[in-house]
Amino acid sequence: MNVPQIRLESISAKIGLTIYKPVQEIQQQPADLMIKQPKAELQIDRTPSQLTIDQTEAWADMDLKHISRRIEEFAQQGYEDWLTGLARMAQEGDDLMKIENGGNPIPEHAKINSGSPIYEFNIGFIPSANSVKINYQPSIVKLNWHTHKPEIDIKVNKPVHQYTPGSVNIDLIQKPSLLIDFV
């Protein structure tokens, strides 16, 4: 027996998607920076150092004296020698005046006055210790300085931002269909 048959044939719908991705661009310009540093001010006050060396006594110890000092010493020595001679003559006069007390003053005076004096001698070309006087005054330095703060000017630039949003396009590529067939 032949039974009628129904044949169904279906075709699905096909959808096409076109996707456009979003685009984002960000550009950041660097900040504009300007820095000025004023120079520091420095002032130096200085008194010079002073060194004084006095060799007068060292030269005098070596018998290399200035003429004015030599004249002064000779005058002083002459005065002392005159006083010594005056005292000696006064003493000799007293001795002669008191001849009655005994003794023989004339030969004694001749013996004392005829002897040569004993002179002290040392090495004459070496100055004595500490005969050179040294005086030193160090310099005084005063520093006055002033610093200035730097002048900083900053200009911040805003970022450049561009954004293109994405999109999706939907298309129907194939329509759905249903075929019904009787056999």
Side-chain angles (χ1 to χ4, degrees), residues 10-140:
S10 67
I11 298 175
S12 301
K14 289 188 180 178
I15 299 174
L17 298 175
T18 306
I19 301 172
Y20 297 102
K21 292 186 178 182
V23 177
Q24 177 172 309
E25 293 180 3
I26 300 175
Q27 293 179 350
Q28 177 65 56
Q29 296 291 327
D32 295 330
L33 180 63
M34 188 174 78
I35 300 175
K36 288 183 183 177
Q37 177 64 58
K39 293 181 181 178
E41 296 174 10
L42 175 63
Q43 181 181 8
I44 301 174
D45 294 329
R46 182 181 68 87
T47 58
S49 58
Q50 187 173 9
L51 175 64
T52 306
I53 300 173
D54 185 8
Q55 307 180 72
T56 308
E57 291 302 317
W59 289 110
D61 288 349
M62 295 186 297
D63 201 29
L64 298 171
K65 301 174 187 172
H66 192 267
I67 189 66
S68 60
R69 184 167 177 177
R70 233 181 243 292
I71 291 170
E72 184 180 321
E73 287 178 359
F74 286 154
Q76 182 67 30
Q77 186 65 40
Y79 180 71
E80 289 174 8
D81 289 347
W82 175 71
L83 287 178
T84 304
L86 188 62
R88 182 180 52 82
M89 283 192 268
Q91 181 64 39
E92 287 176 0
D94 286 347
D95 288 346
L96 289 173
M97 200 170 54
K98 296 178 184 177
I99 199 162
E100 68 273 358
N101 292 340
N104 201 0
I106 294 176
E108 289 174 7
H109 293 167
K111 183 179 178 184
I112 292 171
N113 292 335
S114 65
S116 59
I118 299 172
Y119 294 106
E120 281 189 34
F121 181 73
N122 198 353
I123 298 174
F125 57 88
I126 297 177
S128 62
N130 297 325
S131 61
V132 176
K133 306 293 184 216
I134 297 174
N135 184 19
Y136 176 70
Q137 293 177 345
S139 64
I140 299 171

